[in-house]
């Protein structure tokens, strides 16, 4: 099975900062990679699908890139509502594992 | 609007079974798959399996094979997941999520999520 890793596991940032989160798959997954945002006590929310396509309604400060095994989620200018945990997911096949998550908190 | 509404919280004893329901509305149920994901307290997301609402085909994570059964009822647009032989480490929030077909361009991503169902396993 494919394993997913993320780095960093947590990042402290301020409003306005540029934040970059990296996700790596143990095998190539093409662009079948999704990113989710989760806030405490809430269900995950889809941000990015197909590695770089922005889900409808998601602010354009979120962007995704990469293919194969290495992927990046970037928040260009962090907003107060962006403090949350972010997960990547390999969606090419079954099982469809998630990365361990990256928590973005207040610096 | 498009939504998935899950059944309420459950408290079960070790060894018991639990069934979590997920009712879809606002879209054609049989055009999509449903995946189930769980999250133990303070932990990350764990993919459990998938079911096609079109033909009932299922895929399970290996660790849940034989202990989890996913079903759908197209007459009520509902997906159910039963977990048997519950243990304390099954205590988690269980989510259903909609998986668009591969032809949709969503590349397997889960675009709509239920609100989650807390299952507590305790003696």
């Amino acid at each position: 099975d494919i394993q997913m890793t993320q780095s960093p596991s947590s990042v402290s940032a301020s409003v306005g900062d540029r934040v970059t989160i990296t996700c790596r798959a143990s095998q190539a997954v093409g662009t079948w990679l999704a990113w989710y945002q989760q806030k405490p006590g809430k269900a995950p929310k889809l941000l990015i699908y197909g590695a770089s396509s922005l889900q409808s309604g998601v602010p354009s400060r979120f962007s995704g890139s990469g293919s194969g095994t290495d992927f990046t989620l970037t928040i260009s200018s962090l907003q107060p509502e962006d403090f949350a945990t972010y997960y990547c997911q390999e969606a090419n096949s079954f099982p469809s594992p998630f990365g361990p998550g990256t928590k973005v908190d207040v610096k | 609007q498009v939504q998935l509404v899950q059944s309420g919280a459950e408290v079960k004893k070790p060894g018991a079974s639990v069934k979590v329901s997920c009712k879809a509305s606002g879209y054609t149920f049989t055009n999509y798959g449903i995946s189930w994901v769980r999250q133990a307290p303070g932990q990350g997301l764990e993919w459990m399996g998938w079911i096609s609402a079109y033909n009932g085909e299922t895929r399970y994570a290996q660790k849940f094979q034989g202990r989890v059964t996913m079903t759908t009822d197209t007459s009520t647009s509902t997906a159910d997941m039963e977990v048997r032989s519950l243990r304390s480490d099954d205590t988690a929030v269980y989510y259903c999520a909609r998986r668009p077909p591969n032809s949709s361009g969503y590349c397997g991503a889960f675009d709509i999520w239920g609100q989650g169902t807390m299952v507590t396993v305790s003696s």
Side-chain angles (χ1 to χ4, degrees), chain A residues 31-34 36 38 42-44 46 49-50 55 87 89 91-92 94-98 100, chain B residues 37 39 43-47 50 59 61-62 95 99 102 105-111 113-115:
Chain A
T31 57
W32 288 61
L33 190 286
Y36 302 87
Q38 188 181 33
K42 299 295 186 183
L46 177 64
Y49 62 92
Q55 171 67 339
Y87 295 92
Q89 182 202 17
N92 183 47
F94 300 124
S96 300
F98 293 86
Chain B
V37 176
Q39 186 170 39
Q43 302 303 307
L45 302 172
E46 181 175 28
W47 183 86
W50 164 89
R59 300 286 182 93
Q62 188 170 9
Y95 294 102
R99 187 185 190 274
N102 291 348
Y106 266 88
C107 296
F110 303 164
D111 65 338
W113 292 67
Q115 82 277 19

mmCIF file of all heavy atoms in Angstrom, chain A residues 31-34 36 38 42-44 46 49-50 55 87 89 91-92 94-98 100, chain B residues 37 39 43-47 50 59 61-62 95 99 102 105-111 113-115:
data_model
loop_
_atom_site.group_PDB
_atom_site.id
_atom_site.type_symbol
_atom_site.label_atom_id
_atom_site.label_comp_id
_atom_site.label_asym_id
_atom_site.label_seq_id
_atom_site.Cartn_x
_atom_site.Cartn_y
_atom_site.Cartn_z
ATOM 1 N N THR A 31 -1.423 12.789 -10.565
ATOM 2 C CA THR A 31 -1.949 14.005 -9.922
ATOM 3 C C THR A 31 -3.190 13.682 -9.100
ATOM 4 O O THR A 31 -4.007 14.553 -8.813
ATOM 5 C CB THR A 31 -2.270 15.099 -10.951
ATOM 6 O OG1 THR A 31 -3.204 14.566 -11.905
ATOM 7 C CG2 THR A 31 -1.016 15.575 -11.654
ATOM 8 N N TRP A 32 -3.323 12.434 -8.687
ATOM 9 C CA TRP A 32 -4.488 12.023 -7.902
ATOM 10 C C TRP A 32 -4.218 12.282 -6.414
ATOM 11 O O TRP A 32 -4.137 11.358 -5.598
ATOM 12 C CB TRP A 32 -4.823 10.560 -8.175
ATOM 13 C CG TRP A 32 -5.403 10.358 -9.536
ATOM 14 C CD1 TRP A 32 -4.803 10.639 -10.729
ATOM 15 C CD2 TRP A 32 -6.693 9.857 -9.850
ATOM 16 N NE1 TRP A 32 -5.643 10.345 -11.769
ATOM 17 C CE2 TRP A 32 -6.813 9.846 -11.266
ATOM 18 C CE3 TRP A 32 -7.757 9.384 -9.092
ATOM 19 C CZ2 TRP A 32 -7.954 9.410 -11.926
ATOM 20 C CZ3 TRP A 32 -8.897 8.926 -9.744
ATOM 21 C CH2 TRP A 32 -8.988 8.953 -11.140
ATOM 22 N N LEU A 33 -4.116 13.559 -6.115
ATOM 23 C CA LEU A 33 -3.771 13.987 -4.778
ATOM 24 C C LEU A 33 -4.732 15.098 -4.365
ATOM 25 O O LEU A 33 -4.971 16.034 -5.137
ATOM 26 C CB LEU A 33 -2.312 14.474 -4.756
ATOM 27 C CG LEU A 33 -1.573 14.772 -3.449
ATOM 28 C CD1 LEU A 33 -2.031 16.072 -2.797
ATOM 29 C CD2 LEU A 33 -1.664 13.615 -2.465
ATOM 30 N N ALA A 34 -5.285 14.975 -3.169
ATOM 31 C CA ALA A 34 -6.224 15.969 -2.660
ATOM 32 C C ALA A 34 -5.700 16.561 -1.363
ATOM 33 O O ALA A 34 -4.941 15.924 -0.627
ATOM 34 C CB ALA A 34 -7.597 15.334 -2.431
ATOM 35 N N TYR A 36 -7.148 18.671 2.171
ATOM 36 C CA TYR A 36 -8.311 18.997 2.992
ATOM 37 C C TYR A 36 -7.882 19.892 4.158
ATOM 38 O O TYR A 36 -6.760 19.779 4.663
ATOM 39 C CB TYR A 36 -8.960 17.737 3.563
ATOM 40 C CG TYR A 36 -9.404 16.743 2.517
ATOM 41 C CD1 TYR A 36 -8.525 15.781 2.034
ATOM 42 C CD2 TYR A 36 -10.692 16.778 1.993
ATOM 43 C CE1 TYR A 36 -8.917 14.871 1.065
ATOM 44 C CE2 TYR A 36 -11.103 15.874 1.026
ATOM 45 C CZ TYR A 36 -10.206 14.926 0.569
ATOM 46 O OH TYR A 36 -10.599 14.020 -0.392
ATOM 47 N N GLN A 38 -9.180 20.888 8.058
ATOM 48 C CA GLN A 38 -10.078 20.488 9.129
ATOM 49 C C GLN A 38 -9.898 21.395 10.342
ATOM 50 O O GLN A 38 -8.783 21.592 10.817
ATOM 51 C CB GLN A 38 -9.869 19.034 9.542
ATOM 52 C CG GLN A 38 -10.933 18.550 10.534
ATOM 53 C CD GLN A 38 -10.744 17.120 10.981
ATOM 54 O OE1 GLN A 38 -9.622 16.636 11.104
ATOM 55 N NE2 GLN A 38 -11.847 16.418 11.225
ATOM 56 N N LYS A 42 -15.039 19.768 13.488
ATOM 57 C CA LYS A 42 -15.707 19.860 12.187
ATOM 58 C C LYS A 42 -15.214 18.780 11.242
ATOM 59 O O LYS A 42 -14.133 18.228 11.414
ATOM 60 C CB LYS A 42 -15.436 21.231 11.554
ATOM 61 C CG LYS A 42 -15.949 22.401 12.372
ATOM 62 C CD LYS A 42 -17.468 22.397 12.485
ATOM 63 C CE LYS A 42 -17.978 23.635 13.183
ATOM 64 N NZ LYS A 42 -19.456 23.604 13.349
ATOM 65 N N ALA A 43 -16.034 18.505 10.231
ATOM 66 C CA ALA A 43 -15.619 17.573 9.195
ATOM 67 C C ALA A 43 -14.552 18.209 8.308
ATOM 68 O O ALA A 43 -14.508 19.437 8.169
ATOM 69 C CB ALA A 43 -16.826 17.174 8.349
ATOM 70 N N PRO A 44 -13.708 17.406 7.698
ATOM 71 C CA PRO A 44 -12.751 17.947 6.725
ATOM 72 C C PRO A 44 -13.478 18.623 5.570
ATOM 73 O O PRO A 44 -14.620 18.288 5.244
ATOM 74 C CB PRO A 44 -11.998 16.701 6.247
ATOM 75 C CG PRO A 44 -12.154 15.711 7.351
ATOM 76 C CD PRO A 44 -13.522 15.961 7.902
ATOM 77 N N LEU A 46 -12.798 19.850 1.490
ATOM 78 C CA LEU A 46 -11.927 19.725 0.324
ATOM 79 C C LEU A 46 -11.453 21.099 -0.137
ATOM 80 O O LEU A 46 -12.257 22.009 -0.361
ATOM 81 C CB LEU A 46 -12.678 19.023 -0.818
ATOM 82 C CG LEU A 46 -11.925 18.872 -2.140
ATOM 83 C CD1 LEU A 46 -10.696 17.974 -1.966
ATOM 84 C CD2 LEU A 46 -12.855 18.310 -3.217
ATOM 85 N N TYR A 49 -8.130 19.421 -5.453
ATOM 86 C CA TYR A 49 -8.202 18.071 -6.008
ATOM 87 C C TYR A 49 -7.363 18.020 -7.275
ATOM 88 O O TYR A 49 -7.045 19.060 -7.859
ATOM 89 C CB TYR A 49 -9.653 17.657 -6.283
ATOM 90 C CG TYR A 49 -10.364 18.532 -7.300
ATOM 91 C CD1 TYR A 49 -10.354 18.207 -8.659
ATOM 92 C CD2 TYR A 49 -11.039 19.681 -6.906
ATOM 93 C CE1 TYR A 49 -10.993 19.007 -9.585
ATOM 94 C CE2 TYR A 49 -11.687 20.480 -7.832
ATOM 95 C CZ TYR A 49 -11.661 20.136 -9.167
ATOM 96 O OH TYR A 49 -12.296 20.938 -10.089
ATOM 97 N N GLY A 50 -7.014 16.797 -7.675
ATOM 98 C CA GLY A 50 -6.165 16.672 -8.857
ATOM 99 C C GLY A 50 -4.845 17.410 -8.704
ATOM 100 O O GLY A 50 -4.302 17.926 -9.683
ATOM 101 N N GLN A 55 -11.046 23.719 -5.393
ATOM 102 C CA GLN A 55 -12.461 23.386 -5.227
ATOM 103 C C GLN A 55 -13.291 24.663 -5.249
ATOM 104 O O GLN A 55 -12.864 25.726 -4.768
ATOM 105 C CB GLN A 55 -12.673 22.624 -3.909
ATOM 106 C CG GLN A 55 -14.103 22.378 -3.489
ATOM 107 C CD GLN A 55 -14.865 21.425 -4.392
ATOM 108 O OE1 GLN A 55 -14.514 21.198 -5.535
ATOM 109 N NE2 GLN A 55 -15.922 20.827 -3.844
ATOM 110 N N TYR A 87 -4.606 18.086 5.670
ATOM 111 C CA TYR A 87 -4.288 16.699 5.322
ATOM 112 C C TYR A 87 -4.197 16.546 3.809
ATOM 113 O O TYR A 87 -5.038 17.077 3.077
ATOM 114 C CB TYR A 87 -5.378 15.737 5.806
ATOM 115 C CG TYR A 87 -5.542 15.649 7.305
ATOM 116 C CD1 TYR A 87 -6.442 16.467 7.976
ATOM 117 C CD2 TYR A 87 -4.806 14.732 8.051
ATOM 118 C CE1 TYR A 87 -6.606 16.383 9.349
ATOM 119 C CE2 TYR A 87 -4.961 14.639 9.429
ATOM 120 C CZ TYR A 87 -5.862 15.470 10.062
ATOM 121 O OH TYR A 87 -6.016 15.384 11.424
ATOM 122 N N GLN A 89 -4.179 13.540 0.723
ATOM 123 C CA GLN A 89 -4.751 12.205 0.517
ATOM 124 C C GLN A 89 -4.400 11.700 -0.865
ATOM 125 O O GLN A 89 -4.558 12.439 -1.855
ATOM 126 C CB GLN A 89 -6.273 12.224 0.657
ATOM 127 C CG GLN A 89 -6.908 10.850 0.510
ATOM 128 C CD GLN A 89 -8.372 10.908 0.123
ATOM 129 O OE1 GLN A 89 -8.870 11.930 -0.339
ATOM 130 N NE2 GLN A 89 -9.073 9.808 0.323
ATOM 131 N N ALA A 91 -5.538 9.644 -3.797
ATOM 132 C CA ALA A 91 -6.898 9.280 -4.193
ATOM 133 C C ALA A 91 -6.925 8.453 -5.476
ATOM 134 O O ALA A 91 -7.979 8.280 -6.066
ATOM 135 C CB ALA A 91 -7.723 10.555 -4.370
ATOM 136 N N ASN A 92 -5.760 7.936 -5.876
ATOM 137 C CA ASN A 92 -5.665 7.228 -7.144
ATOM 138 C C ASN A 92 -6.246 5.824 -7.075
ATOM 139 O O ASN A 92 -6.711 5.285 -8.068
ATOM 140 C CB ASN A 92 -4.197 7.148 -7.574
ATOM 141 C CG ASN A 92 -4.011 6.479 -8.921
ATOM 142 O OD1 ASN A 92 -4.716 6.797 -9.880
ATOM 143 N ND2 ASN A 92 -3.080 5.563 -9.003
ATOM 144 N N PHE A 94 -7.471 2.265 -4.225
ATOM 145 C CA PHE A 94 -7.926 1.808 -2.913
ATOM 146 C C PHE A 94 -6.844 0.923 -2.303
ATOM 147 O O PHE A 94 -6.347 0.026 -2.985
ATOM 148 C CB PHE A 94 -9.223 1.019 -3.039
ATOM 149 C CG PHE A 94 -10.356 1.807 -3.626
ATOM 150 C CD1 PHE A 94 -11.014 1.360 -4.751
ATOM 151 C CD2 PHE A 94 -10.753 3.008 -3.047
ATOM 152 C CE1 PHE A 94 -12.069 2.082 -5.296
ATOM 153 C CE2 PHE A 94 -11.805 3.732 -3.586
ATOM 154 C CZ PHE A 94 -12.469 3.271 -4.722
ATOM 155 N N PRO A 95 -6.464 1.068 -1.044
ATOM 156 C CA PRO A 95 -6.926 2.110 -0.134
ATOM 157 C C PRO A 95 -6.494 3.509 -0.560
ATOM 158 O O PRO A 95 -5.619 3.656 -1.401
ATOM 159 C CB PRO A 95 -6.289 1.710 1.193
ATOM 160 C CG PRO A 95 -5.060 0.969 0.804
ATOM 161 C CD PRO A 95 -5.411 0.234 -0.441
ATOM 162 N N SER A 96 -7.122 4.508 0.059
ATOM 163 C CA SER A 96 -6.849 5.907 -0.252
ATOM 164 C C SER A 96 -6.356 6.596 1.010
ATOM 165 O O SER A 96 -7.117 7.316 1.677
ATOM 166 C CB SER A 96 -8.115 6.599 -0.783
ATOM 167 O OG SER A 96 -8.578 5.984 -1.954
ATOM 168 N N PRO A 97 -5.091 6.413 1.342
ATOM 169 C CA PRO A 97 -4.607 6.897 2.636
ATOM 170 C C PRO A 97 -4.457 8.409 2.714
ATOM 171 O O PRO A 97 -4.216 9.085 1.707
ATOM 172 C CB PRO A 97 -3.239 6.218 2.766
ATOM 173 C CG PRO A 97 -2.781 6.052 1.354
ATOM 174 C CD PRO A 97 -4.029 5.753 0.565
ATOM 175 N N PHE A 98 -4.548 8.892 3.942
ATOM 176 C CA PHE A 98 -4.304 10.296 4.237
ATOM 177 C C PHE A 98 -2.908 10.451 4.825
ATOM 178 O O PHE A 98 -2.354 9.513 5.422
ATOM 179 C CB PHE A 98 -5.316 10.813 5.266
ATOM 180 C CG PHE A 98 -6.734 10.878 4.767
ATOM 181 C CD1 PHE A 98 -7.563 9.762 4.847
ATOM 182 C CD2 PHE A 98 -7.244 12.049 4.223
ATOM 183 C CE1 PHE A 98 -8.871 9.815 4.381
ATOM 184 C CE2 PHE A 98 -8.549 12.119 3.759
ATOM 185 C CZ PHE A 98 -9.366 10.995 3.838
ATOM 186 N N PRO A 100 -0.434 12.308 7.676
ATOM 187 C CA PRO A 100 -0.650 12.447 9.122
ATOM 188 C C PRO A 100 -1.149 13.812 9.558
ATOM 189 O O PRO A 100 -1.551 13.974 10.715
ATOM 190 C CB PRO A 100 0.736 12.169 9.703
ATOM 191 C CG PRO A 100 1.675 12.505 8.606
ATOM 192 C CD PRO A 100 0.972 12.170 7.319
ATOM 193 N N VAL B 37 -14.551 7.253 6.572
ATOM 194 C CA VAL B 37 -13.285 7.687 7.167
ATOM 195 C C VAL B 37 -13.528 7.841 8.661
ATOM 196 O O VAL B 37 -14.586 8.329 9.069
ATOM 197 C CB VAL B 37 -12.846 9.042 6.567
ATOM 198 C CG1 VAL B 37 -11.579 9.568 7.248
ATOM 199 C CG2 VAL B 37 -12.640 8.925 5.060
ATOM 200 N N GLN B 39 -11.827 9.002 12.654
ATOM 201 C CA GLN B 39 -10.813 9.832 13.317
ATOM 202 C C GLN B 39 -10.897 9.599 14.819
ATOM 203 O O GLN B 39 -11.868 10.022 15.455
ATOM 204 C CB GLN B 39 -11.031 11.306 12.978
ATOM 205 C CG GLN B 39 -9.951 12.236 13.494
ATOM 206 C CD GLN B 39 -10.104 13.636 12.931
ATOM 207 O OE1 GLN B 39 -11.208 14.157 12.783
ATOM 208 N NE2 GLN B 39 -8.979 14.263 12.601
ATOM 209 N N GLN B 43 -6.401 12.296 16.845
ATOM 210 C CA GLN B 43 -5.598 11.636 15.810
ATOM 211 C C GLN B 43 -5.979 12.107 14.406
ATOM 212 O O GLN B 43 -6.859 12.955 14.229
ATOM 213 C CB GLN B 43 -5.789 10.118 15.914
ATOM 214 C CG GLN B 43 -5.408 9.538 17.272
ATOM 215 C CD GLN B 43 -3.964 9.851 17.645
ATOM 216 O OE1 GLN B 43 -3.030 9.575 16.863
ATOM 217 N NE2 GLN B 43 -3.759 10.419 18.819
ATOM 218 N N GLY B 44 -5.316 11.528 13.410
ATOM 219 C CA GLY B 44 -5.559 11.902 12.024
ATOM 220 C C GLY B 44 -6.706 11.120 11.402
ATOM 221 O O GLY B 44 -7.438 10.390 12.086
ATOM 222 N N LEU B 45 -6.847 11.288 10.107
ATOM 223 C CA LEU B 45 -7.928 10.663 9.346
ATOM 224 C C LEU B 45 -7.504 9.286 8.852
ATOM 225 O O LEU B 45 -6.384 9.116 8.347
ATOM 226 C CB LEU B 45 -8.288 11.554 8.145
ATOM 227 C CG LEU B 45 -8.724 12.982 8.492
ATOM 228 C CD1 LEU B 45 -8.853 13.808 7.218
ATOM 229 C CD2 LEU B 45 -10.033 12.977 9.259
ATOM 230 N N GLU B 46 -8.411 8.326 8.976
ATOM 231 C CA GLU B 46 -8.123 6.946 8.571
ATOM 232 C C GLU B 46 -9.191 6.481 7.584
ATOM 233 O O GLU B 46 -10.380 6.408 7.933
ATOM 234 C CB GLU B 46 -8.084 6.023 9.783
ATOM 235 C CG GLU B 46 -7.777 4.568 9.453
ATOM 236 C CD GLU B 46 -7.635 3.694 10.668
ATOM 237 O OE1 GLU B 46 -8.255 4.002 11.711
ATOM 238 O OE2 GLU B 46 -6.910 2.684 10.596
ATOM 239 N N TRP B 47 -8.766 6.142 6.366
ATOM 240 C CA TRP B 47 -9.689 5.642 5.351
ATOM 241 C C TRP B 47 -10.095 4.230 5.678
ATOM 242 O O TRP B 47 -9.238 3.361 5.923
ATOM 243 C CB TRP B 47 -9.009 5.696 3.978
ATOM 244 C CG TRP B 47 -9.865 5.286 2.830
ATOM 245 C CD1 TRP B 47 -10.712 6.085 2.126
ATOM 246 C CD2 TRP B 47 -9.933 3.992 2.218
ATOM 247 N NE1 TRP B 47 -11.313 5.351 1.114
ATOM 248 C CE2 TRP B 47 -10.853 4.067 1.156
ATOM 249 C CE3 TRP B 47 -9.301 2.767 2.461
ATOM 250 C CZ2 TRP B 47 -11.154 2.990 0.336
ATOM 251 C CZ3 TRP B 47 -9.603 1.682 1.660
ATOM 252 C CH2 TRP B 47 -10.524 1.801 0.601
ATOM 253 N N TRP B 50 -14.868 1.987 0.803
ATOM 254 C CA TRP B 50 -15.668 2.673 -0.220
ATOM 255 C C TRP B 50 -16.729 1.733 -0.729
ATOM 256 O O TRP B 50 -16.531 0.505 -0.778
ATOM 257 C CB TRP B 50 -14.743 3.092 -1.353
ATOM 258 C CG TRP B 50 -15.415 3.477 -2.640
ATOM 259 C CD1 TRP B 50 -15.855 4.708 -3.003
ATOM 260 C CD2 TRP B 50 -15.689 2.623 -3.756
ATOM 261 N NE1 TRP B 50 -16.381 4.680 -4.269
ATOM 262 C CE2 TRP B 50 -16.298 3.400 -4.758
ATOM 263 C CE3 TRP B 50 -15.481 1.259 -4.012
ATOM 264 C CZ2 TRP B 50 -16.702 2.888 -5.982
ATOM 265 C CZ3 TRP B 50 -15.876 0.736 -5.227
ATOM 266 C CH2 TRP B 50 -16.477 1.546 -6.205
ATOM 267 N N ARG B 59 -14.876 -1.815 -1.419
ATOM 268 C CA ARG B 59 -13.455 -1.986 -1.178
ATOM 269 C C ARG B 59 -13.209 -1.589 0.278
ATOM 270 O O ARG B 59 -13.657 -0.530 0.701
ATOM 271 C CB ARG B 59 -12.617 -1.107 -2.099
ATOM 272 C CG ARG B 59 -12.807 -1.382 -3.565
ATOM 273 C CD ARG B 59 -12.152 -2.670 -3.996
ATOM 274 N NE ARG B 59 -12.309 -2.894 -5.416
ATOM 275 C CZ ARG B 59 -11.426 -2.526 -6.321
ATOM 276 N NH1 ARG B 59 -10.295 -1.923 -5.948
ATOM 277 N NH2 ARG B 59 -11.639 -2.760 -7.588
ATOM 278 N N ALA B 61 -10.363 -1.260 3.630
ATOM 279 C CA ALA B 61 -8.990 -1.290 4.114
ATOM 280 C C ALA B 61 -8.735 -2.659 4.735
ATOM 281 O O ALA B 61 -9.627 -3.236 5.384
ATOM 282 C CB ALA B 61 -8.770 -0.187 5.140
ATOM 283 N N GLN B 62 -7.539 -3.160 4.548
ATOM 284 C CA GLN B 62 -7.244 -4.524 4.986
ATOM 285 C C GLN B 62 -7.527 -4.719 6.472
ATOM 286 O O GLN B 62 -8.036 -5.762 6.884
ATOM 287 C CB GLN B 62 -5.782 -4.853 4.665
ATOM 288 C CG GLN B 62 -5.433 -6.316 4.907
ATOM 289 C CD GLN B 62 -4.068 -6.681 4.355
ATOM 290 O OE1 GLN B 62 -3.299 -5.827 3.930
ATOM 291 N NE2 GLN B 62 -3.754 -7.961 4.365
ATOM 292 N N TYR B 95 -16.947 9.364 9.665
ATOM 293 C CA TYR B 95 -17.468 10.247 8.622
ATOM 294 C C TYR B 95 -17.807 9.441 7.370
ATOM 295 O O TYR B 95 -17.051 8.532 6.998
ATOM 296 C CB TYR B 95 -16.424 11.286 8.217
ATOM 297 C CG TYR B 95 -16.039 12.299 9.254
ATOM 298 C CD1 TYR B 95 -14.849 12.183 9.969
ATOM 299 C CD2 TYR B 95 -16.842 13.412 9.509
ATOM 300 C CE1 TYR B 95 -14.476 13.122 10.911
ATOM 301 C CE2 TYR B 95 -16.470 14.362 10.456
ATOM 302 C CZ TYR B 95 -15.287 14.204 11.144
ATOM 303 O OH TYR B 95 -14.914 15.146 12.076
ATOM 304 N N ARG B 99 -17.636 10.428 -2.983
ATOM 305 C CA ARG B 99 -16.526 10.315 -3.922
ATOM 306 C C ARG B 99 -17.077 10.372 -5.343
ATOM 307 O O ARG B 99 -17.727 9.423 -5.798
ATOM 308 C CB ARG B 99 -15.746 9.021 -3.725
ATOM 309 C CG ARG B 99 -14.468 8.922 -4.571
ATOM 310 C CD ARG B 99 -13.822 7.562 -4.404
ATOM 311 N NE ARG B 99 -12.485 7.474 -4.987
ATOM 312 C CZ ARG B 99 -12.242 7.175 -6.265
ATOM 313 N NH1 ARG B 99 -13.233 6.957 -7.103
ATOM 314 N NH2 ARG B 99 -10.989 7.106 -6.702
ATOM 315 N N ASN B 102 -14.584 8.621 -11.324
ATOM 316 C CA ASN B 102 -13.283 8.957 -11.908
ATOM 317 C C ASN B 102 -13.433 9.853 -13.135
ATOM 318 O O ASN B 102 -12.587 10.701 -13.402
ATOM 319 C CB ASN B 102 -12.516 7.689 -12.284
ATOM 320 C CG ASN B 102 -12.074 6.921 -11.063
ATOM 321 O OD1 ASN B 102 -12.137 7.412 -9.937
ATOM 322 N ND2 ASN B 102 -11.646 5.689 -11.267
ATOM 323 N N GLY B 105 -13.378 14.155 -13.138
ATOM 324 C CA GLY B 105 -12.242 15.062 -13.055
ATOM 325 C C GLY B 105 -11.802 15.364 -11.637
ATOM 326 O O GLY B 105 -10.826 16.075 -11.426
ATOM 327 N N TYR B 106 -12.500 14.837 -10.658
ATOM 328 C CA TYR B 106 -12.152 15.082 -9.260
ATOM 329 C C TYR B 106 -10.993 14.201 -8.774
ATOM 330 O O TYR B 106 -10.540 14.353 -7.645
ATOM 331 C CB TYR B 106 -13.373 14.877 -8.352
ATOM 332 C CG TYR B 106 -14.105 16.162 -8.080
ATOM 333 C CD1 TYR B 106 -15.104 16.614 -8.939
ATOM 334 C CD2 TYR B 106 -13.782 16.948 -6.976
ATOM 335 C CE1 TYR B 106 -15.768 17.804 -8.695
ATOM 336 C CE2 TYR B 106 -14.434 18.137 -6.717
ATOM 337 C CZ TYR B 106 -15.434 18.561 -7.585
ATOM 338 O OH TYR B 106 -16.098 19.740 -7.339
ATOM 339 N N CYS B 107 -10.560 13.288 -9.626
ATOM 340 C CA CYS B 107 -9.368 12.488 -9.298
ATOM 341 C C CYS B 107 -9.487 11.823 -7.925
ATOM 342 O O CYS B 107 -8.521 11.787 -7.159
ATOM 343 C CB CYS B 107 -8.107 13.346 -9.356
ATOM 344 S SG CYS B 107 -7.745 13.984 -11.004
ATOM 345 N N GLY B 108 -10.670 11.303 -7.623
ATOM 346 C CA GLY B 108 -10.830 10.506 -6.413
ATOM 347 C C GLY B 108 -11.053 11.287 -5.134
ATOM 348 O O GLY B 108 -11.209 10.693 -4.067
ATOM 349 N N ALA B 109 -11.047 12.611 -5.196
ATOM 350 C CA ALA B 109 -11.198 13.411 -3.972
ATOM 351 C C ALA B 109 -12.620 13.330 -3.431
ATOM 352 O O ALA B 109 -13.563 13.082 -4.168
ATOM 353 C CB ALA B 109 -10.830 14.864 -4.251
ATOM 354 N N PHE B 110 -12.759 13.574 -2.139
ATOM 355 C CA PHE B 110 -14.048 13.520 -1.459
ATOM 356 C C PHE B 110 -14.599 14.944 -1.348
ATOM 357 O O PHE B 110 -14.083 15.755 -0.580
ATOM 358 C CB PHE B 110 -13.904 12.917 -0.066
ATOM 359 C CG PHE B 110 -13.287 11.546 -0.035
ATOM 360 C CD1 PHE B 110 -12.795 11.036 1.157
ATOM 361 C CD2 PHE B 110 -13.199 10.753 -1.157
ATOM 362 C CE1 PHE B 110 -12.222 9.766 1.218
ATOM 363 C CE2 PHE B 110 -12.625 9.486 -1.120
ATOM 364 C CZ PHE B 110 -12.134 8.999 0.077
ATOM 365 N N ASP B 111 -15.654 15.242 -2.108
ATOM 366 C CA ASP B 111 -16.076 16.632 -2.200
ATOM 367 C C ASP B 111 -17.135 17.047 -1.179
ATOM 368 O O ASP B 111 -17.270 18.236 -0.885
ATOM 369 C CB ASP B 111 -16.536 16.957 -3.623
ATOM 370 C CG ASP B 111 -17.783 16.192 -4.044
ATOM 371 O OD1 ASP B 111 -18.086 15.128 -3.455
ATOM 372 O OD2 ASP B 111 -18.448 16.658 -4.992
ATOM 373 N N TRP B 113 -18.817 15.964 2.707
ATOM 374 C CA TRP B 113 -18.653 15.150 3.908
ATOM 375 C C TRP B 113 -19.893 15.250 4.796
ATOM 376 O O TRP B 113 -20.529 16.307 4.869
ATOM 377 C CB TRP B 113 -17.440 15.627 4.696
ATOM 378 C CG TRP B 113 -16.126 15.376 4.035
ATOM 379 C CD1 TRP B 113 -15.658 15.957 2.881
ATOM 380 C CD2 TRP B 113 -15.092 14.505 4.479
ATOM 381 N NE1 TRP B 113 -14.402 15.480 2.588
ATOM 382 C CE2 TRP B 113 -14.022 14.588 3.559
ATOM 383 C CE3 TRP B 113 -14.940 13.645 5.580
ATOM 384 C CZ2 TRP B 113 -12.840 13.844 3.695
ATOM 385 C CZ3 TRP B 113 -13.774 12.914 5.723
ATOM 386 C CH2 TRP B 113 -12.739 13.022 4.788
ATOM 387 N N GLY B 114 -20.190 14.148 5.487
ATOM 388 C CA GLY B 114 -21.189 14.207 6.536
ATOM 389 C C GLY B 114 -20.636 14.928 7.754
ATOM 390 O O GLY B 114 -19.437 15.231 7.825
ATOM 391 N N GLN B 115 -21.502 15.164 8.727
ATOM 392 C CA GLN B 115 -21.100 15.933 9.895
ATOM 393 C C GLN B 115 -20.324 15.095 10.916
ATOM 394 O O GLN B 115 -19.763 15.644 11.854
ATOM 395 C CB GLN B 115 -22.332 16.567 10.579
ATOM 396 C CG GLN B 115 -23.114 15.672 11.523
ATOM 397 C CD GLN B 115 -24.123 14.754 10.844
ATOM 398 O OE1 GLN B 115 -24.036 14.509 9.632
ATOM 399 N NE2 GLN B 115 -25.080 14.259 11.616
#
